[in-house]
Amino acid sequence: MVLKLYFDFLSQPSRALYIFFKKCNIPFESHIVNISRGENRSEEYEEIHPFGKVPSIEHDGFKLIESVGIARYVTREFKVAEHWYPTKSREQAKVDEYLEWQHLNTRVICSRLFLANVLFPMMRQKAAHPERVKECESSVTACLDQFENLWLKDKNFLMGNEISVADLFAACEIEQIRMAGLEPRQGRPKLKGWFDRVEQASGPHYAEAHKYVDDVVKRIASRPAHTCDINEIFP
């Protein structure tokens, strides 16, 4: 049976699933859906994902959207090491606890900063609103404080001493703010140590998936976002 992954490295959960599949040696076909060119809005792709978002999968004719649901499905369909998504009820529940929390926290808060400081100014060709950016940065700071002090606390990974899918989803969401001019590792040794462990545990695929982000960071740093063409920054 063929598993097809539809994704764009601009998308945080796309990167998380790509790394997960690669690290777990799950055989799949890569289908890049370029968001900046509107490929996610094509009639062909909307047959796969009716909301026109990424990622999504098609597995021997079975279509599935929503990244967390996809990760859970894959752990049932393929042989995956227990630490990624445990089968024991309470251990699995702790992974799910973070995956549910992230939706209104790391995911939405980091995304808002990226939208306010990069994507919206680029699309509107207007400078970012400083008060809005400041508000978003403040929210990111509070969120990362919670992430370090409550979720990581004294652990190597979110669930203990081994990496799980929760760590991949979290890392990919937090990496997004680098494109908005914030380096999450700066001044946060605990967070940096966790990032280093996540990258090492999921390497070399973590670096591969984030090369796109690295390149975007360099392009944006060269001039203000609102003076850039979206296809130039996100080719």
Side-chain angles (χ1 to χ4, degrees):
M1 296 191 294
V2 178
L3 175 67
K4 300 176 182 178
L5 174 63
Y6 298 87
F7 68 101
D8 186 334
F9 281 135
L10 177 60
S11 155
Q12 308 92 299
S14 285
R15 297 195 299 270
L17 288 183
Y18 180 88
I19 296 165
F20 179 49
F21 289 5
K22 284 283 191 176
K23 191 62 185 178
C24 294
N25 295 313
I26 295 169
F28 69 97
E29 290 182 1
S30 292
H31 292 265
I32 295 179
V33 180
N34 193 306
I35 298 172
S36 65
R37 296 178 186 172
E39 292 177 3
N40 56 310
R41 292 298 180 186
S42 69
E43 290 185 13
E44 181 182 8
Y45 183 64
E46 287 186 350
E47 288 293 317
I48 305 296
H49 197 313
F51 301 109
K53 297 182 179 181
V54 288
S56 63
I57 62 167
E58 185 175 6
H59 187 204
D60 196 32
F62 174 69
K63 301 168 185 176
L64 190 64
I65 64 174
E66 294 301 328
S67 55
V68 172
I70 291 169
R72 290 169 177 155
Y73 170 80
V74 165
T75 62
R76 295 192 298 268
E77 294 294 311
F78 295 87
K79 187 177 181 180
V80 173
E82 180 76 4
H83 63 84
W84 287 108
Y85 190 67
T87 54
K88 292 181 179 179
S89 179
R90 292 189 177 183
E91 293 177 10
Q92 186 181 108
K94 294 304 290 184
V95 177
D96 286 338
E97 183 179 45
Y98 175 79
L99 294 176
E100 298 300 334
W101 179 84
Q102 71 157 356
H103 293 300
L104 294 178
N105 292 280
T106 41
R107 176 153 179 73
V108 71
I109 289 171
C110 293
S111 295
R112 281 175 179 165
L113 177 60
F114 171 70
L115 293 172
N117 206 28
V118 178
L119 199 57
F120 289 162
M122 202 174 294
M123 293 172 65
R124 298 165 180 165
Q125 291 294 287
K126 293 182 179 179
H129 193 288
E131 289 301 317
R132 177 58 177 156
V133 172
K134 184 178 180 180
E135 177 186 330
C136 289
E137 288 179 344
S138 178
S139 295
V140 166
T141 297
C143 181
L144 294 184
D145 286 345
Q146 288 184 329
F147 187 83
E148 283 190 302
N149 299 325
L150 299 178
W151 288 103
L152 279 180
K153 211 170 184 179
D154 55 357
K155 297 176 292 185
N156 287 329
F157 295 99
L158 287 172
M159 300 306 130
N161 290 319
E162 291 188 281
I163 193 171
S164 71
V165 292
D167 293 283
L168 292 184
F169 279 103
C172 291
E173 293 296 342
I174 298 171
E175 289 276 16
Q176 200 80 348
I177 65 175
R178 291 200 293 121
M179 292 188 285
L182 279 187
E183 173 48 72
R185 297 163 178 81
Q186 187 173 349
R188 292 181 179 272
K190 182 187 293 187
L191 192 64
K192 182 183 183 303
W194 169 76
F195 265 119
D196 291 344
R197 290 188 291 274
V198 170
E199 184 169 358
Q200 183 177 10
S202 59
H205 314 296
Y206 189 92
E208 178 190 357
H210 285 91
K211 184 182 183 304
Y212 180 91
V213 175
D214 297 337
D215 291 343
V216 169
V217 170
K218 292 175 184 176
R219 287 193 287 269
I220 291 177
S222 65
R223 55 193 170 115
H226 70 281
T227 66
C228 301
D229 179 82
I230 191 167
N231 291 312
E232 174 188 1
I233 302 299
F234 306 112

